[in-house]
């Protein structure tokens, strides 16, 4: 399986988030041997919890599923560049790789505004790849926010 396959799974989670009235961000976490560890989407409105981002939900679910707070050798696929909170959590969970679709030029912490995943003096650095399904994920977010305004 490849990056596009897994990003499509994250995109489907984003569509579910949009249907629930959430900002359409979806994520999946995959093990080193291409097994799905967890999938999820934003649920901030539903839970009334400002930390209920797709990445946080997926990391918590995966850690519970494998009974380990270290998600070594895993890859996180997310439709939008993670914020500082989510980037920090990725470092603490020791996620190996991040693949995101669309940049977040207002709050992105994987290179757009901040680079919290590869900067000194962190004890863990996350490999970052971007742009898989960028057009689709960016369009979904743009259209969502147009309808909100």
């Amino acid at each position: 399986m490849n990056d596009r396959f897994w990003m499509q799974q994250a995109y489907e989670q984003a569509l579910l988030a949009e249907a629930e009235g959430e900002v359409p961000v979806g994520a999946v976490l995959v093990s080193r041997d291409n097994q799905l560890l967890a999938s999820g989407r934003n649920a901030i409105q539903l839970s009334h919890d400002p930390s209920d981002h797709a990445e946080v939900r997926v990391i918590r679910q995966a850690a519970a599923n494998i009974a380990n707070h270290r998600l070594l050798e895993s890859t996180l696929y997310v439709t939008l560049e993670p914020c500082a909170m989510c980037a920090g959590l990725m470092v603490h969970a020791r996620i190996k790789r991040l693949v995101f679709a669309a940049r977040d030029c207002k709050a992105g912490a994987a290179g757009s505004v901040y680079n919290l995943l590869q900067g000194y003096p962190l004890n863990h650095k996350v490999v970052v790849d971007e742009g898989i399904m960028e057009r689709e994920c960016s369009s979904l977010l743009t259209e969502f926010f147009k309808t909100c305004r």
Side-chain angles (χ1 to χ4, degrees), residues 57-79:
R57 299 182 103 210
V58 164
I59 291 168
R60 286 178 176 163
Q61 180 185 353
N65 288 346
I66 67 168
N68 192 337
H69 67 285
R70 298 287 189 235
L71 300 169
L72 303 171
E73 302 299 319
S74 63
T75 298
L76 178 66
Y77 294 86
V78 63
T79 57

Side-chain angles (χ1 to χ4, degrees), residues 5-15 25-28 40 77-79:
F5 173 84
W6 291 115
M7 188 59 75
Q8 180 65 42
Q9 304 307 304
Y11 181 74
E12 290 173 17
Q13 288 293 316
L15 292 172
V25 177
V28 297
Y77 294 86
V78 63
T79 57

Side-chain angles (χ1 to χ4, degrees), residues 15-83:
L15 292 172
L16 292 172
E18 180 185 41
E20 295 168 347
E22 299 283 346
V23 174
V25 177
V28 297
L29 190 67
V30 179
S31 70
R32 80 176 92 186
D33 55 347
N34 262 334
Q35 298 301 308
L36 179 66
L37 296 174
S39 62
R41 57 194 173 271
N42 276 6
I44 296 164
Q45 301 298 321
L46 182 66
S47 67
H48 308 290
D49 177 353
S51 71
D52 212 356
H53 291 197
E55 301 95 323
V56 172
R57 299 182 103 210
V58 164
I59 291 168
R60 286 178 176 163
Q61 180 185 353
N65 288 346
I66 67 168
N68 192 337
H69 67 285
R70 298 287 189 235
L71 300 169
L72 303 171
E73 302 299 319
S74 63
T75 298
L76 178 66
Y77 294 86
V78 63
T79 57
L80 180 65
E81 180 180 4
C83 69

Side-chain angles (χ1 to χ4, degrees), residues 56-134:
V56 172
R57 299 182 103 210
V58 164
I59 291 168
R60 286 178 176 163
Q61 180 185 353
N65 288 346
I66 67 168
N68 192 337
H69 67 285
R70 298 287 189 235
L71 300 169
L72 303 171
E73 302 299 319
S74 63
T75 298
L76 178 66
Y77 294 86
V78 63
T79 57
L80 180 65
E81 180 180 4
C83 69
M85 174 186 67
C86 294
L89 181 58
M90 291 175 60
V91 170
H92 285 290
R94 305 297 193 270
I95 290 173
K96 181 176 184 174
R97 182 173 173 240
L98 165 68
V99 180
F100 70 87
R103 283 185 167 247
D104 183 346
C105 294
K106 293 183 180 179
S112 291
V113 179
Y114 308 103
N115 187 357
L116 300 180
L117 297 176
Q118 298 173 328
Y120 175 82
L122 297 177
N123 61 341
H124 176 74
K125 292 177 180 22
V126 177
V127 175
V128 178
D129 291 306
E130 64 176 285
I132 308 278
M133 293 183 62
E134 178 180 9

